Amino acid sequence: MSKKRSVGNTVVVVDGGGRGSVLVDKYAESQHVERIIAIPGNDLMQINTDKPVEIHPQIKTTSTTDILDICKQEDVALVDVAQDNAVEAGLVDILTQKGILVTGPTRNAGQIEWDKAWAREFGKIEGLPQPFFKICLSTEEGLEFLKNQPDQRWFIKAALLAEGKGVLPAKNNEEAAQRVLEMRKFGDAGKVFLIEKWLQGDDGSVGEEFSTYILTDGQHYKIIGSAQDHKRVNDFDEGENTGGMGCSAPPLVLTEELLKEVEAKILCKAVLGLNKEGRPYKGVLYLGGMVVKQKGKLHPYVIEFNARWGDPEAQVIVPSLVNDLYEVGLAVAHGDISKIDFKTDGKARVVVAGASRGYPGDYSQAIGKEIYGLEDAKKVDGVKIYGAGVKKINGRYYVSGGRLFYVVGEGKTVVEARQKAYEAMSVISIDGNNLHFRTDIGWRDVERLRKGKY
Ligand code: AMP
Ligand code: GLY
């Protein structure tokens, strides 16, 4: 099937959002890659490269048979399974069984994302720092458990994938009991759920979130970078939770000392633990972490693992990789990254997500409206544009979703990177004032730098 030619290779990227777009871009930079197929892909994937990018908008990331057919027909050299539903559907397993080279975790290894109950049990076995949790198999079990707990803040979480909506905060036991009842609305995903203590410092202070990304072949791993997402829809971290309105990288809260702790207490143990379990993890592992203050010192905890790059985190981490992504992907697929000399460019990056007004709620009024300025924004020095919910018709761009595009700025520091990103964002608009974006991405680190704390 996959003939290993040194030039002229076709790579398949399984994802349709900004994450898929930055991966397409990075594979296109490889001298070994001639063309890219993105499934489902999006209409902006051709924006940064002259190499042909073919998209398949009608194919779902979980349509394993269709994806297998394309890989066979097109004599594909490497498949990058970059999306959580595809991992859960066992796409990596199916392609691998057919002799196709794949970077991405098997369904079993990916259980660390798609089953939160399993992930917490695994964390317990491996001794990873994580909040106290209780796995509940029924509503009654959850309610009974809460009755016997001192009043406090909790998170109630559907165990299986619930389109990113299965995590509900509760500020006391009474609210937690209501959230337990709400688990039913997630159907099968919420049949098993977790009641988890709200992580906080021992003085009650809130933690600061970060995410760290490693590439691993199941035995060796390499930390590629870290980022800080901004999940709330509005400035000042207000409004509803979203898939992420922007990120900055690297997050300054992760000092060298803390990153060492993250590696020793979490990442190293996770990779070895998965291997020990007979689920060697191949691909990108994403640690969603939080640092909290205990006895006057910051310590990292596991909030979750994801079996993929983050979105929009990938947009600020993947471009920092100096290595040829095709060579890295092949090494992962062959199960040995030990000979790769991983290098990153050390630049700071900020990504700002452009969304439809109303997102993550109702944004139907924005659908079909024209988007202006994407090509001009791309011309700003040190800026890249990546797409998601955008339709291209006769060379013009139109809204086709809630998350539309991503503007990435790079620089020596987060201040410079952020200034670039917003300079580019300022030339983009949507008919009827339908563009929404946050104006404060990277605020924590910009403040830190202003105060001279770093
Ligand atoms: P998730 O949907 O799993 O990404 O969780 C959504 C958000 O809830 C996370 O980004 C954290 O901000 C927060 N969160 C989840 N679990 C906890 C926890 N145990 N303690 C504090 N914050 C949490
Ligand atoms: N930005 C959060 C995620 O990719 O899950």
Side-chain angles (χ1 to χ4, degrees), residues 229 231 243-244 286 306 308 310-313:
D229 198 4
K231 285 198 169 158
Y286 157 155
N306 290 317
R308 53 180 174 81
D311 188 345
E313 291 88 338

Side-chain angles (χ1 to χ4, degrees), residues 194-256:
L194 291 112
I195 301 180
E196 198 170 285
K197 273 197 184 174
W198 193 307
L199 263 180
Q200 53 187 21
D202 42 25
D203 57 353
S205 56
V206 291
E208 186 167 335
E209 282 182 74
F210 67 92
S211 53
T212 299
Y213 300 83
I214 61 168
L215 268 162
T216 169
D217 56 19
Q219 292 190 55
H220 317 91
Y221 66 89
K222 174 72 191 176
I223 298 178
I224 306 301
S226 301
Q228 191 159 59
D229 198 4
H230 297 59
K231 285 198 169 158
R232 300 300 190 99
V233 69
N234 293 325
D235 285 1
F236 309 110
D237 291 328
E238 284 175 1
E240 277 185 78
N241 237 356
T242 70
M245 294 302 292
C247 289
S248 61
L252 298 180
V253 68
L254 267 194
T255 55
E256 225 169 282

Side-chain angles (χ1 to χ4, degrees), residues 291-325:
V291 283
V292 294
K293 206 169 197 175
Q294 288 164 336
K295 299 191 180 108
K297 266 190 87 183
L298 291 174
H299 292 287
Y301 280 84
V302 179
I303 294 287
E304 63 180 356
F305 285 102
N306 290 317
R308 53 180 174 81
W309 296 103
D311 188 345
E313 291 88 338
Q315 290 86 308
V316 288
I317 306 282
V318 174
S320 71
L321 193 64
V322 174
N323 302 75
D324 180 314
L325 192 59

Side-chain angles (χ1 to χ4, degrees), residues 88-89 124 165 199 207 212 222 231 236 265 276 289 344:
E88 191 203 15
K124 200 166 159 184
K165 296 187 180 112
L199 263 180
T212 299
K222 174 72 191 176
K231 285 198 169 158
F236 309 110
K265 291 191 176 160
K276 230 169 31 197
T344 48

Side-chain angles (χ1 to χ4, degrees), residues 5-299:
R5 297 165 294 188
S6 61
V7 285
N9 294 303
T10 299
V11 171
V12 170
V13 172
V14 180
D15 191 59
R19 169 180 48 212
S21 304
V22 70
L23 289 171
V24 163
D25 222 32
K26 197 71 182 170
Y27 281 116
E29 280 175 19
S30 167
Q31 53 163 335
H32 310 291
V33 176
E34 190 176 76
R35 86 177 167 135
I36 295 137
I37 298 173
I39 303 173
N42 68 63
D43 279 4
L44 242 62
M45 279 181 164
Q46 194 73 69
I47 197 167
N48 297 315
T49 177
D50 293 330
K51 291 187 183 171
V53 182
E54 185 183 308
I55 62 168
H56 288 266
Q58 73 287 5
I59 300 183
K60 293 200 184 91
T61 56
T62 49
S63 305
T64 51
T65 315
D66 293 339
I67 297 174
L68 175 62
D69 285 348
I70 290 181
C71 293
K72 282 182 183 165
Q73 281 156 23
E74 304 290 340
D75 187 21
V76 161
L78 178 72
V79 182
D80 190 326
V81 176
Q83 209 263 349
D84 44 354
N85 289 330
V87 171
E88 191 203 15
L91 180 60
V92 174
D93 311 56
I94 290 162
L95 298 179
T96 309
Q97 278 158 18
K98 297 289 175 194
I100 295 165
L101 291 172
V102 188
T103 173
T106 58
R107 180 177 150 82
N108 258 350
Q111 192 163 2
I112 200 160
E113 168 164 13
W114 61 258
D115 183 351
K116 287 186 165 62
W118 187 87
R120 283 297 189 220
E121 290 283 23
F122 169 76
K124 200 166 159 184
I125 293 166
E126 295 306 322
L128 309 184
Q130 59 183 12
F132 168 83
F133 67 95
K134 160 85 180 154
I135 295 172
C136 302
L137 304 180
S138 69
T139 309
E140 294 70 37
E141 191 181 357
L143 297 177
E144 195 57 35
F145 168 79
L146 283 168
K147 265 192 218 153
N148 300 313
Q149 290 296 311
D151 203 30
Q152 61 191 294
R153 301 198 295 171
W154 302 94
F155 274 88
I156 316 299
K157 302 182 171 184
L160 304 186
L161 294 181
E163 291 169 3
K165 296 187 180 112
V167 174
L168 306 177
K171 51 182 186 299
N172 52 41
N173 286 18
E174 194 186 330
E175 212 174 276
Q178 282 165 22
R179 301 285 175 256
V180 163
L181 295 172
E182 283 173 47
M183 284 293 120
R184 289 180 182 144
K185 75 178 175 209
F186 300 115
D188 282 348
K191 263 194 183 150
V192 174
F193 58 90
L194 291 112
I195 301 180
E196 198 170 285
K197 273 197 184 174
W198 193 307
L199 263 180
Q200 53 187 21
D202 42 25
D203 57 353
S205 56
V206 291
E208 186 167 335
E209 282 182 74
F210 67 92
S211 53
T212 299
Y213 300 83
I214 61 168
L215 268 162
T216 169
D217 56 19
Q219 292 190 55
H220 317 91
Y221 66 89
K222 174 72 191 176
I223 298 178
I224 306 301
S226 301
Q228 191 159 59
D229 198 4
H230 297 59
K231 285 198 169 158
R232 300 300 190 99
V233 69
N234 293 325
D235 285 1
F236 309 110
D237 291 328
E238 284 175 1
E240 277 185 78
N241 237 356
T242 70
M245 294 302 292
C247 289
S248 61
L252 298 180
V253 68
L254 267 194
T255 55
E256 225 169 282
E257 192 189 346
L258 260 174
L259 189 59
K260 276 197 186 130
E261 204 177 326
V262 168
E263 179 169 7
K265 291 191 176 160
I266 303 175
L267 298 171
C268 182
K269 288 184 176 177
V271 172
L272 294 177
L274 284 164
N275 209 342
K276 230 169 31 197
E277 289 259 349
R279 305 168 187 243
Y281 189 104
K282 288 182 175 185
V284 176
L285 182 64
Y286 157 155
L287 162 70
M290 184 177 271
V291 283
V292 294
K293 206 169 197 175
Q294 288 164 336
K295 299 191 180 108
K297 266 190 87 183
L298 291 174
H299 292 287

